[in-house]
Amino acid sequence: MYDVEKIRGDFPILSREVNGKPLVYLDNGASAQKPQVVIDAVTRGYAEEYANVHRGLHFLSNLATEKYEAVRGTIARFLGADEDEIVMNSGTTEGINMVAYGWGAANLRAGDEIILSVMEHHANIVPWHFLRERLGVVIKWVDIDSNGDLDPQRVIDAVTEKTKLISITQMSNVLGSVVDVKSICEFARGRGIPVMVDGSQSSVHMPVDMRDIGCDFFSITGHKLYGPSSSGAMFIRKERMAEMQPFMGGGDMIREVTKDVITYNDPPMKFEAGTPGIVQMIGLGAALEYLMDLGMDNVAQHERDLRDYARTKLDGLNWLNVQGNSATKGAIFSFTMEGAAHAHDLSTVLDKRGVAVRAGHHCAQPLMQHLGVPATARASFGLYNTKAEVDTLVSALELCHELFA
Ligand SMILES: Cc1ncc(COP(=O)(O)O)c(C=O)c1O
């Protein structure tokens, strides 16, 4: 039984007021709030268990190493992967840059093609542009349809003998559209083409399983998963790890350094240089345990109910232009208001009612160009949101309409 009121009690910040109104936090797509178990794990990490990891022989260093390394196992369980397929990092931006430099720069050359969709986040665009600028690789863009869905067949149709990588989000951070990445992976595997899946949004809202999806790279980012910022991980299939060069050099990722040569640590450590976000990762471990205790199927069901409720309510506002209308989308709604108000104005008025939404291009400028809008306001729901909060959003939007229309 999913008891949303009880769950809300786990998140201290949700009981605060903003501008004299109860907080209605609908900016989960940007970053999610933290449950007490995460706050406690971080506090304990610093108050009782802190030292640098991997390098010491003293009690606290061993304890911190044990706690930190245990998180690798937790991430592996969360993703349905093996521990040695998990590279821990600060989040998706670092993760995709690591794949671009570590795998891309080592395996791609001028004229090779990388396939992206128009609804990627800049984190899954800019590193590939670097390779376009520096190596001469070619980026091929795949469009979405009028509902905001990405038909896997369009990706498959874009593949040529020059295609060397497909890098696609599993859930749009703007439209909430969910991509059937499994079908893309099935096809690509038959052709030996690696697939990188940006799971930054999907992993927060639905169960994800690496063996089921069949991808080569899959990225998660901790702060969206109710964990600390600067925590995250990249799943990398072992064959692909073997094809990679280290992205960053420094402590921990080497076995031996002499004046003339270096030898590397075994993967995944080979790809983790320097002191990591020790306590942040311990906090992420607590967040993933929390999610697994709730059950990602239950989280997904709760958010589907919220999505359906919000969709019906927002559809009733005929002056609101909701972008994308995918039947299977997550509970993320991007909108503009007819005849009025820049998205920033909408966000400012909503904030006065205690409703936190994001406004702007959401780091998805090619998608904004595709939609023909400069910006949208975005309400993105999470596991602790309620139907009553949808009602508050709707009445605050009605106020915006009165003010701006
Ligand atoms: C789909 C998607 N990919 C990548 C990112 C980048 O994540 P981070 O900034 O945590 O590295 C985000 C964050 O908004 C996102 O929504």
Side-chain angles (χ1 to χ4, degrees):
M1 177 65 188
Y2 195 89
D3 183 347
V4 70
E5 286 309 325
K6 182 165 174 291
I7 288 167
R8 288 177 69 78
D10 295 336
F11 292 78
I13 205 168
L14 296 181
S15 57
R16 72 160 288 167
E17 293 193 342
V18 167
N19 291 323
K21 304 273 190 273
L23 168 66
V24 175
Y25 187 77
L26 302 180
D27 194 19
N28 297 285
S31 204
Q33 300 299 346
K34 318 304 171 199
Q36 191 64 48
V37 284
V38 170
I39 298 166
D40 288 347
V42 170
T43 306
R44 203 171 40 249
Y46 281 124
E48 297 171 30
E49 298 164 348
Y50 187 77
N52 209 334
V53 289
H54 296 144
R55 299 166 205 187
L57 290 173
H58 60 84
F59 176 84
L60 278 181
S61 181
N62 286 335
L63 181 61
T65 303
E66 215 174 90
K67 297 271 174 179
Y68 174 82
E69 279 301 325
V71 177
R72 202 183 299 277
T74 308
I75 297 169
R77 247 187 313 124
F78 182 74
L79 293 177
D82 293 340
E83 281 187 36
D84 56 0
E85 295 173 310
I86 303 299
V87 174
M88 302 208 273
N89 59 28
S90 62
T92 291
T93 300
E94 183 186 336
I96 300 184
N97 275 280
M98 181 193 66
V99 175
Y101 287 97
W103 187 85
N107 292 282
L108 300 177
R109 49 190 57 82
D112 286 347
E113 294 173 357
I114 298 175
I115 296 177
L116 306 180
S117 87
V118 293
M119 62 180 176
E120 300 310 316
H121 186 281
H122 292 169
N124 192 25
I125 297 176
V126 179
W128 310 118
H129 265 302
F130 287 170
L131 296 191
R132 179 189 58 73
E133 286 182 344
R134 295 170 198 183
L135 294 182
V137 304
V138 176
I139 301 176
K140 288 184 76 177
W141 296 94
V142 179
D143 264 344
I144 50 174
D145 66 19
S146 55
N147 280 330
D149 279 316
L150 177 68
D151 183 345
Q153 192 57 45
R154 289 194 188 198
V155 177
I156 291 168
D157 290 344
V159 169
T160 71
E161 69 285 357
K162 292 188 184 152
T163 305
K164 293 288 157 37
L165 179 73
I166 300 171
S167 192
I168 297 280
T169 188
Q170 194 179 13
M171 182 187 280
S172 161
N173 62 313
V174 178
L175 305 174
S177 318
V178 175
V179 180
D180 174 8
V181 286
K182 185 175 172 176
S183 296
I184 296 170
C185 291
E186 247 165 38
F187 173 84
R189 229 168 145 58
R191 301 285 186 98
I193 301 167
V195 181
M196 147 91 211
V197 174
D198 180 353
S200 307
Q201 295 288 340
S202 59
S203 60
V204 184
H205 304 293
M206 57 201 262
V208 289
D209 184 297
M210 296 306 99
R211 300 287 170 254
D212 183 53
I213 293 174
C215 56
D216 296 81
F217 306 96
F218 188 98
S219 181
I220 62 170
T221 197
H223 66 98
K224 295 185 205 289
L225 282 159
Y226 308 94
S229 54
S230 279
S231 66
M234 178 71 79
F235 158 83
I236 307 177
R237 191 186 282 278
K238 282 179 201 128
E239 306 94 274
R240 297 300 171 199
M241 265 198 208
E243 297 170 358
M244 283 173 66
Q245 297 289 335
F247 162 41
M248 287 205 296
D252 261 17
M253 49 79 71
I254 40 78
R255 175 158 297 129
E256 198 182 6
V257 180
T258 71
K259 286 179 178 163
D260 302 316
V261 289
I262 47 172
T263 52
Y264 297 128
N265 214 330
D266 291 332
M269 296 290 288
K270 180 177 173 181
F271 303 105
E272 297 176 4
T275 299
I278 302 164
V279 175
Q280 291 93 321
M281 291 305 297
I282 291 172
L284 175 58
L288 297 182
E289 294 290 0
Y290 180 82
L291 285 171
M292 288 189 279
D293 282 351
L294 285 180
M296 287 308 291
D297 280 319
N298 299 327
V299 169
Q301 183 57 51
H302 172 71
E303 293 186 9
R304 267 195 300 274
D305 290 347
L306 276 177
R307 173 202 65 193
D308 292 345
Y309 185 75
R311 186 170 359 220
T312 308
K313 291 279 176 170
L314 296 177
D315 279 353
L317 309 177
N318 57 12
W319 33 264
L320 198 73
N321 300 319
V322 179
Q323 301 287 346
N325 191 27
S326 165
T328 55
K329 68 185 250 154
I332 299 178
F333 296 87
S334 280
F335 45 81
T336 54
M337 193 176 278
E338 217 163 79
H342 185 276
H344 287 155
D345 299 331
L346 286 180
S347 162
T348 306
V349 175
L350 294 177
D351 187 50
K352 294 278 176 279
R353 313 294 286 198
V355 181
V357 302
R358 184 145 298 245
H361 55 60
H362 314 291
C363 296
Q365 285 181 337
L367 179 58
M368 295 294 125
Q369 287 148 21
H370 175 89
L371 298 172
V373 294
T376 67
R378 178 187 69 185
S380 51
F381 293 80
L383 59 82
Y384 37 57
N385 290 121
T386 64
K387 290 181 181 168
E389 290 182 310
V390 175
D391 294 339
T392 308
L393 169 69
V394 169
S395 58
L397 284 170
E398 280 164 343
L399 176 73
C400 292
H401 181 55
E402 277 168 35
L403 281 174
F404 295 121

